[in-house]
Amino acid sequence: MSRPGVTYLDVAHAAQQVMASGQEPTIERIRAQLKTGSHGTIGTHLRTWRSRQDPLHQLATREKIPEELIVLLKGLWERVVGQAEAQMEALKKETQQDNEQLKDHVLQQQRENARLQQAEAQLKQAHHSVAQEKMAVEQLLSKAQTEAATLRTQQEGLLQQLADKQTRVEELHRHNQQTQANLEHYHASALEQRHADQQRAEQQYRQLEQDFSQLNIENERLRQEKQELMYVQQQLEQAQKSIQSQLDKITLEHEKVSAALIEARQELAQKTALLAHLHDHTDQIQAQLQQQLQLNGELSIERATLVQRIETHEKALETLTEQHKALAHDKWVLGQEKAQLFGQFKQLEAMR
C-alpha cells in the first residue's frame, strides 16, 4: 500500500506553527516540520497558503499581537486619516477664502496707494506754494534790510552833523562869554577904547546872530529829516506787518502739512499691523500656500515704499520748520532794528 502525499492542509498547519515560533515559513522549515514531502509539492502549497493569508492575520501572527487589537488600530487609523482628509478639505476651503480676502486687500491697498499718491501730489503743490511765498518774503526782507541799512547810515550822518553843530554852538557860547569878559575888562581899564570895543562886540554879536540863524535853519532841516525817518519807520512797520501776515500763512501751511504727516503715519501703523497679522497667518499655512509668501513680499515692498514716502514728507516738514525758524529770526532782527531806530528818535528829541 502506497503512502499518501503531503496535502495543502498539512502545509498550512506547518506554516502556522513556523510563524507561531517567530520564523518566516519556508520550504525547508515546513519539510523539517512535516519530515516528509517534496520541495515542489511543499512549494506549491506554500504559495497558495501565502496568497490566501490576510495581511492583518500575517501581521498579528508575525508580531504576536492579537488580531482584535490590529483591527482596532486599523479602525483608529482609518478614522485619523478621515479626520485629516476632512481637515485638509477645510484647510483648502479656508485657504481659498483667505486668497479671496487677500485679493480684496490687495485691491484696497492699490486704492489706498492711489489716494496716497494724490495726497503726495497735493503736499508737493503746497510745498511749492510755500517755497514761492518764502521767496517773496525773502525779497521783502532783503529790501527792508537794505532800507534799514540806508536809514542807519543816514541817521549816523545826521547824528554826526548834530554833534558837530552842538560842538560849534558850545564853542560860540564860550567865545561869547570870553568876549563879554574882555569887554568888561576893557571897559574898566580903558574907557577910551570903549567905543572901539563896543563896535567889535557888536560885530561879534551880529556874527553870533548869524550863527544862531544858521543853527535854526540846520535845526529845521533836522526836523524835516526826522519826519522823513518817521515816515520810513511807518513803512518798515507796514512791511513788518506784511511779513508777519505771510509768516502766519506759512505757519498755517506748516500745520496742514503736519496734520497730513500724522494721518500718513497712522495709516502706516494700521497697514503695518495688518501686514504683521497677514505674516503670522501666512506662516501657519506656508506649506500649503506658497503664493501667500509672494503676496507678503509685495506687501513688504509696498510698506517700504510708504516708509520712503513718509521719510520724504518728514524731510519736507523739516525744511518748512527751518524756513519758519529763519523767518522768525528775521522778524526778531527787524524788531531789534525798530527798537534801535525808536531809541535814536528819542535821543534826537531829547537833544532838541
Side-chain angles (χ1 to χ4, degrees):
M1 185 174 179
S2 61
R3 184 179 178 182
V6 178
T7 63
Y8 170 76
L9 295 176
D10 295 334
V11 173
H13 182 67
Q16 290 178 355
Q17 290 180 352
V18 172
M19 287 186 65
S21 65
Q23 296 179 351
E24 182 69 22
T26 61
I27 297 174
E28 295 296 336
R29 289 172 182 170
I30 293 174
R31 192 173 186 280
Q33 184 73 22
L34 296 175
K35 295 181 173 52
T36 185
S38 64
H39 287 79
T41 302
I42 294 173
T44 302
H45 294 322
L46 181 61
R47 285 193 295 272
T48 302
W49 176 80
R50 285 179 176 174
S51 64
R52 294 179 179 178
Q53 288 297 307
D54 186 8
L56 294 177
H57 179 73
Q58 292 179 3
L59 178 62
T61 304
R62 184 173 61 252
E63 300 296 334
K64 295 180 180 181
I65 301 174
E67 292 186 10
E68 292 81 2
L69 182 59
I70 296 296
V71 174
L72 180 60
L73 291 174
K74 180 180 178 183
L76 291 174
W77 173 253
E78 290 176 352
R79 185 181 300 175
V80 170
V81 171
Q83 291 178 355
E85 290 178 353
Q87 290 179 357
M88 287 296 295
E89 187 67 24
L91 184 60
K92 287 181 180 179
K93 292 181 180 179
E94 184 180 357
T95 300
Q96 291 177 358
Q97 293 177 358
D98 291 338
N99 284 332
E100 294 297 330
Q101 292 178 357
L102 289 174
K103 288 180 181 179
D104 294 337
H105 177 69
V106 168
L107 293 175
Q108 184 178 2
Q109 292 295 324
Q110 290 177 354
R111 289 193 295 267
E112 289 293 329
N113 188 19
R115 191 179 67 81
L116 288 175
Q117 289 179 356
Q118 185 178 3
E120 182 181 5
Q122 293 177 356
L123 287 174
K124 288 182 179 179
Q125 185 177 2
H127 181 267
H128 181 68
S129 300
V130 171
Q132 290 181 349
E133 291 179 357
K134 180 190 172 186
M135 292 176 61
V137 170
E138 289 179 349
Q139 292 177 358
L140 291 174
L141 181 61
S142 177
K143 183 178 180 181
Q145 289 177 350
T146 303
E147 292 178 354
T150 303
L151 290 175
R152 284 196 297 270
T153 304
Q154 295 176 356
Q155 184 181 9
E156 291 176 356
L158 292 175
L159 290 174
Q160 185 64 36
Q161 292 178 3
L162 184 62
D164 294 340
K165 295 297 182 181
Q166 186 67 29
T167 303
R168 185 176 178 184
V169 168
E170 291 177 356
E171 290 179 354
L172 291 174
H173 183 66
R174 288 194 299 270
H175 183 67
N176 188 16
Q177 291 179 351
Q178 184 65 35
T179 302
Q180 289 179 358
N182 292 332
L183 285 173
E184 292 177 356
H185 176 71
Y186 287 122
H187 182 71
S189 61
L191 294 175
E192 63 276 7
Q193 295 181 358
R194 181 176 182 181
H195 182 69
D197 292 337
Q198 185 176 2
Q199 290 179 353
R200 188 168 58 251
E202 290 177 355
Q203 291 177 358
Q204 291 177 355
Y205 182 75
R206 285 192 297 269
Q207 183 65 34
L208 288 174
E209 287 181 348
Q210 292 178 0
D211 292 338
F212 278 117
S213 177
Q214 291 178 358
L215 287 175
N216 290 327
I217 294 171
E218 187 67 24
N219 190 14
E220 181 66 20
R221 188 177 65 82
L222 289 175
R223 187 181 65 80
Q224 293 177 357
E225 290 179 354
K226 177 182 177 182
Q227 292 179 352
E228 293 177 355
L229 288 175
M230 290 177 67
Y231 176 74
V232 172
Q233 182 183 6
Q234 292 177 356
Q235 291 182 344
L236 287 175
E237 290 177 353
Q238 293 177 356
Q240 183 179 2
K241 291 180 180 178
S242 177
I243 292 172
Q244 181 64 36
S245 177
Q246 294 177 0
L247 183 61
D248 293 338
K249 291 181 180 179
I250 293 174
T251 303
L252 182 60
E253 293 294 334
H254 179 270
E255 292 176 353
K256 291 181 179 178
V257 172
S258 299
L261 180 59
I262 292 172
E263 183 179 358
R265 285 179 177 173
Q266 291 176 354
E267 292 179 356
L268 177 61
Q270 294 176 357
K271 292 181 180 178
T272 303
L274 181 59
L275 180 61
H277 176 70
L278 291 175
H279 183 70
D280 294 336
H281 187 67
T282 303
D283 289 339
Q284 295 176 1
I285 61 173
Q286 185 176 5
Q288 293 81 11
L289 296 173
Q290 189 66 27
Q291 294 179 355
Q292 290 185 8
L293 291 176
Q294 296 178 357
L295 181 59
N296 189 14
E298 293 176 358
L299 289 175
S300 299
I301 294 173
E302 183 181 0
R303 179 179 178 273
T305 303
L306 290 174
V307 171
Q308 185 177 4
R309 290 176 180 174
I310 291 299
E311 291 177 352
T312 304
H313 293 164
E314 288 179 349
K315 291 181 180 179
L317 181 60
E318 291 177 357
T319 303
L320 291 175
T321 304
E322 294 296 331
Q323 295 174 359
H324 184 271
K325 290 181 179 178
L327 290 174
H329 178 70
D330 294 337
K331 178 182 177 183
W332 180 80
V333 171
L334 287 174
Q336 294 292 325
E337 292 178 354
K338 177 181 177 182
Q340 292 178 359
L341 289 173
F342 185 74
Q344 292 173 359
F345 290 148
K346 291 292 185 179
Q347 291 179 359
L348 289 174
E349 291 178 354
M351 289 179 181
R352 291 183 58 189

